[in-house]
Amino acid sequence: SSSSSHNEDNQIIDDSEQTIIHPDEVANEEERGEKRKFGDAKGKKPAFEPLKPGELGVKIESRKVIVPQHRMNSLKADWGKIYPPIVEHMKLQIRMNPSGRQIEMRTSAHTTDIGALQKCVDYLRAYILGFEVADAVALLRLEDIYIDSFIVEDVKMLKGDHLSRAIGRILGKGGKTKFTIENTSKTRIVMNGHHIHILGSFANIKVARDAISCLIIGSPPGKIYAKLKNVASRVVERF
C-alpha cells in the first residue's frame, strides 16, 4: 500500500482531459522540444521557423535622394520603370517631390529586408549618375555589385587639350573603346566630363579601372585591346 501511494504522489493529473501524465514523460517531451529548437549534442543544425515581416523588428525609416536639375526630365520620363522594383520587390513606399527636386522613400510593415532602404538609395543614385534603369536594378537583385567613381586627375594631372585627348582615348571612335572595356570586364561605364563611374563586381571593376588608367596615362587603344583579350581568356579558363 505504501508503494502504490508513492506512485500516485509522483503522477500529474491533467484536469482538462482527465489523463494521468507521468513526470518522466513530461521531462522527455521537454527534452525533445529543446532538441528541435536548439539542436542536439551530435551537431545537428537547429530548425528555426522563418520570421514573419512584422517580427523582424524593421523600424519605419525614411530617406531622401536629391535629384539634380539636369536629371529631372529624364527621371520623369523613366519614372514608370524606376519605381516598380522598389515597390514590388523591396516593399518600400516611394514618392517623387518635383517642387523639392527629391525622391522620398520609407519602409513599411511589409518590408522584409533590413537593408532594403540603403539598396534603393544606391539604386536611385546610380540612375542619377547616368546608368540605365536595367543596369542600375542589379544593385537591388545582386549582393556583390558596387559603383566606383573617380576622376581623370586621380590617375594623372591633365589640363586643357591633354585632358580632352585622354577622354577621347577612353571613349574611342563612336564609343568603341568604352564598349569593348564594358563587354570584356562585364561592367557598365558612365562618363560625365572628367568624372568616370563604373558599375560591377569588385574584380570586374578592377579590370575596367586598370584599362581606363592605362588609356589616361597614354597607352594606345590597340595595346589595351590585347590586355583585355588576355584577361577575357583567363576568365574563360577559370570558369
Side-chain angles (χ1 to χ4, degrees):
S1 61
S2 61
S3 61
S4 61
S5 61
H6 180 71
N7 291 334
E8 291 176 359
D9 294 337
N10 289 335
Q11 292 176 341
I12 300 174
I13 299 177
D14 189 351
D15 294 334
S16 60
E17 298 180 358
Q18 295 297 323
T19 57
I20 300 176
I21 304 173
H22 197 276
D24 293 340
E25 295 179 3
V26 176
N28 292 336
E29 184 62 28
E30 291 178 353
E31 184 178 354
R32 284 195 294 269
E34 290 295 323
K35 286 184 178 181
R36 283 197 299 269
K37 189 180 295 184
F38 301 108
D40 54 12
K42 295 181 180 180
K44 293 183 180 179
K45 294 182 179 179
F48 294 107
E49 295 182 359
L51 292 176
K52 298 178 182 178
E55 299 174 348
L56 288 175
V58 179
K59 299 179 180 179
I60 302 299
E61 299 177 347
S62 61
R63 295 283 293 273
K64 297 179 181 179
V65 179
I66 305 298
V67 182
Q69 183 65 44
H70 69 279
R71 292 293 289 169
M72 282 298 296
N73 291 335
S74 60
L75 180 68
K76 291 177 182 178
D78 294 334
W79 183 250
K81 297 184 292 184
I82 291 173
Y83 80 84
I86 296 177
V87 176
E88 296 173 5
H89 298 287
M90 307 306 290
K91 308 297 183 184
L92 296 182
Q93 297 175 346
I94 182 173
R95 69 179 182 182
M96 182 168 63
N97 185 357
S99 60
R101 287 192 297 106
Q102 60 188 9
I103 301 172
E104 302 172 356
M105 295 181 296
R106 70 178 183 182
T107 57
S108 66
H110 303 285
T111 305
T112 57
D113 187 359
I114 297 177
L117 198 60
Q118 182 59 46
K119 288 181 181 179
C120 292
V121 169
D122 295 337
Y123 160 66
L124 291 174
R125 285 176 177 169
Y127 176 79
I128 291 171
L129 288 176
F131 292 99
E132 297 289 337
V133 176
D135 298 329
V137 78
L139 290 164
L140 301 180
R141 303 181 184 275
L142 302 176
E143 293 294 334
D144 59 341
I145 301 297
Y146 310 96
I147 296 178
D148 185 20
S149 301
F150 63 100
I151 60 176
V152 174
E153 287 81 355
D154 290 339
V155 180
K156 186 178 181 181
M157 290 300 298
L158 299 173
K159 295 181 180 179
D161 293 339
H162 297 287
L163 178 61
S164 301
R165 282 193 288 270
I167 295 172
R169 283 195 299 273
I170 297 171
L171 293 174
K173 185 177 180 180
K176 177 185 175 183
T177 304
K178 174 176 154 311
F179 293 145
T180 302
I181 296 174
E182 286 180 337
N183 295 332
T184 306
S185 61
K186 295 185 176 64
T187 58
R188 289 294 178 264
I189 300 172
V190 168
M191 292 196 63
N192 183 11
H194 63 140
H195 293 270
I196 303 169
H197 311 286
I198 307 174
L199 172 69
S201 64
F202 181 80
N204 294 342
I205 286 175
K206 185 178 185 304
V207 173
R209 181 162 182 161
D210 290 344
I212 293 173
S213 298
C214 291
L215 290 170
I216 293 173
I217 291 172
S219 298
K223 190 174 181 181
I224 302 303
Y225 293 157
K227 285 185 177 180
L228 290 174
K229 188 176 180 180
N230 293 333
V231 170
S233 63
R234 286 200 301 270
V235 171
V236 171
E237 290 175 359
R238 188 181 307 168
F239 298 102

